[in-house]
Amino acid sequence: MHRSMTAAALLAVLLLFAGTYGIVGQGGGAAGAPQRQQLVDVGVILDRKTWVGDMSWTCIELAMEEFYANPCHANYSTRLKLHLRDTGSGAVSAAAAGVDLLKNVHVRAIIGPQTSTQAKFLGLLGNKSSVPIISFSPGGPSRSGLNPYFIRMAWNDSSQAQAISSIVQRYNYREVILVYGDGGSNIFIPDLVDALRQVDTRVSYRCKIQPSAKVDDIMRALSSLRDHWASVFIVRLSNTLALKFFQLAKDEGMMGPGFVWITAYGLTDIFDVVGSPALDVMQGVLEVKPHVQDTMELQSFRRRWRNKYRSENSGTSLSEPTVSGLYVYDTIWALALAAEVAGFVNSDFRVSITNNGPTDFDRIDTSKAAKKLRDSLLNVNFPGISGRFQIKDMQLVSASYTIVNIVGQKRRVVGFWTPGSGISSSLNMTADLHTIIWPGDKDTPPRGWLFPRNKTLNIAVPKGGYGEFVRYENVPKGFCIDVFQEVVAALPYKVPCNYLPFEAGRGDNNGTYDELVYKVYLKEFDAVVGDITILANRSLYVDFTLPYTESGVRMLVPVLDRRKKTPWTFLNPLKTDLWLGTGAFIVFTGFVVWYIEHRTKKESRGSVSQNDEANFKGPLVTQIGKVFYFSFSTLVFAHKEGMTNNLSRTVVMVWLFVVLIVQQSYTASLSSILTVEQLQPTVTSLEEVISKGSHVGYPSGSFVHGLLRSLKIHESKMVAIDSAEEVHEALSTGKVAVIVDEIPYLKLFLKNYCDNYTMVGPTYKFDGFGFAFPRGSPLTADISRGILKLESNGRMVELQKALYGDKSCPDKDDSQTSSSLTLRSFQGLFSISGVCSVLALTLHAVRNINRSLWRRWLAIVWKLFHRGGSPSNTTPDNGEPTMPDNGDTGSSPEGEGTPGSEHSDAEPLSFPLTRGHSGRHVFSRSGRSLRRRQIESELHGEFIVLEADRSL
């Protein structure tokens, strides 16, 4: 009996020991594990006094229970055995716990360093012992596989930086300010700066706040933020520090309109931990966190985790596990899967003889089993509750991010970021973000910068070459000042300005314009307002607004009246070719008319008056004189010669039209020459000046000096000139041949000297006047838009009229040097007249030839007929044909036809022959009166062809 009781008590003690071992050793795993399963020792280092440590341990316990309770894992031959070390937040205690776990427990892996400092020490231990250190901290000692045994089971800082830079790029913010603490920022900040640089955004200021910062420290940090132009802040702080920071920022009015706040992941957990107080002070904030698909499995896990966590931590405000807690859960599953793949290896830790140092750290040797487990863990790939679990580049891959907007007591999802598509309102399609409510309850995106508090712009005002552009007389005045003040007054915010004259003691500029621009680069001035030309070398140091004046450089030269009045001025209206051409056509037209009319008069000498007969008759010299007299008289429409031929009339009619046009053109041109001055420049190009060796003037201290040197003008030929009076004196006295200066200055000079000088030559391209601001100044864009607005609403034109005056001074160039008429101008008219004359001459010649041939034919027919005889002919004794005498004495009857006219419809002649009183042979037409007309004398006698009177 006693023995049985003793045996029972011993068995109970053994069972109790076994049960106790199973609970503590396995960290909450199922008690009474099968004996065939081999245990894999894994160390856990957490700070259970923090909410992160408590949340993580709850996730670890649930992962152990649910993994090995899963029927799919019932036959696993390995089982994780967890060894928890609650070290607090100190790095030394975490390192000591790590040494203990490696040296005494011989763990195959260590998970859970919460801070980046702890992760650094433990990373060194893992690299020395070949034991993987799996950290949940956002920071770590290495990246991209530089420490092959440090694995970060946290979000990918590089992809998160790209997500934030995409938001900044979407709203075209060019400057941002970083606000960060210690936790993991040593890795995140370089990634973020690189990502912002890729989208042309500059980090203008970095504000680092220590974790131990007090209220005064945070207030000083906020004050430094208000001293900068940028109002876009990217924040990465611990939850406790972030709550105080945003509370003070709200008190300082920095959570109102115009500000932009973007929080990186890590700080976004503050809403799960703190709840309503954080929402109250962070209205309008954008947060970026890794995207986790809200599945049924995830919702079930959250319920189980909530029940377990709240039962163990009463009074907690944490409502659900954060994304980092989901990573912890999936990490235990991944480690259990890797242990099964790696298989069981007996403890191979041993103290090396060579590593026999004075500390435990020196005596830690490597573990081949841990290395094998690490290799298996890197190849694990499975769907976890946080999404696809995969390790790449020694850290957990995060595929996409969610963009959340804090509005009221809600966290609204306004979009997503994916590596391939960037930001979008949907994961499955590209679309713009949903409407964001910005700080101050505004739905309009802020412009990204604010005028610094208590800031006054120190604006340098130079002494310009022309006071009308800029001058300083107790207060700044001039066209440049007027434009700047009009633009600033139209801005939607107030810009306090303090104008400072850039002058030396005697009123001259305290240096060149290049030196003045460089002082803006050195931050001695906040801007320069004046006649500052936009140049490439100056833009290397400052940002210029858009130009507000005409751009370019030209020459100013004197003008002279090229049209000198001489005794031969009357020849100037027509060029030599037109004089010669007109004379040639005068002679040619006269010849054509003479030829046509002369032949006509000759053929019809018996039918014209004695006055007409004398028109184109007489000796050869007389005829030539009449031809020239007739031709030149047509120039003044004074010709009186009668013309009987329609061809000659047509020629004269066309020629008179040509004469009318030429005469009117000559009169107009001559009037212009005699009455209008033609002012022409004395020089038309710099090449002409250089070839003559003349001097060139330029404004003293201007960049034009460099332009002239680049144009190969010798230094000895350049003359520096300081004022408009000197310009007039130098040009009028011949001291210089030209002045080379910017167009605005030349236009202002010509306002008073328009009649004496003009701008000539090519325009050398340079931008006009602009306002200079420091590089990156946000005022540059707003001032440029203001200049465009002045130009579009017509206000700029009014300011320019006040500067240059209403009267414009046009250029006087070479296009005005000649108004003489050329033959080419009348080529069409002369062509028409010439063609008409040639056609008339040709038609007249052809008609004469045809008429001669027809008469010859008639004569031949008569001779043939006369020789053959005819029964109807009556032949007298003398053998000559006769015709009855009708009283015709041989004189031409009245009403004789027009000389030279032909009748194609004449009736055939009958051939009874009679001898007339004159003894000439005639053809007679019986029963009709006959009219006689001499047509030709040839062969053996003269034959007179009498045609019937068509009027009978």
Side-chain angles (χ1 to χ4, degrees), residues 399-420:
S400 59
Y401 283 82
T402 303
I403 303 172
V404 180
N405 185 206
I406 310 302
V407 181
Q409 296 296 311
K410 295 181 180 179
R411 302 164 68 186
R412 296 173 53 247
V413 175
V414 295
F416 303 90
W417 179 89
T418 56

Side-chain angles (χ1 to χ4, degrees), residues 349-371:
F349 279 101
R350 63 183 184 278
V351 178
S352 174
I353 298 176
T354 57
N355 293 342
N356 194 14
T359 64
D360 291 336
F361 182 79
D362 295 326
R363 289 192 290 271
I364 295 176
D365 207 346
T366 60
S367 171
K368 294 181 180 180
K371 183 178 182 301

Side-chain angles (χ1 to χ4, degrees), residues 581-604:
T582 303
F585 268 86
I586 289 174
V587 174
F588 177 68
T589 304
F591 168 76
V592 172
V593 172
W594 168 82
Y595 179 78
I596 296 175
E597 290 297 323
H598 175 74
R599 298 283 296 175
T600 301
K601 300 291 182 179
K602 180 180 178 181
E603 293 168 0
S604 58

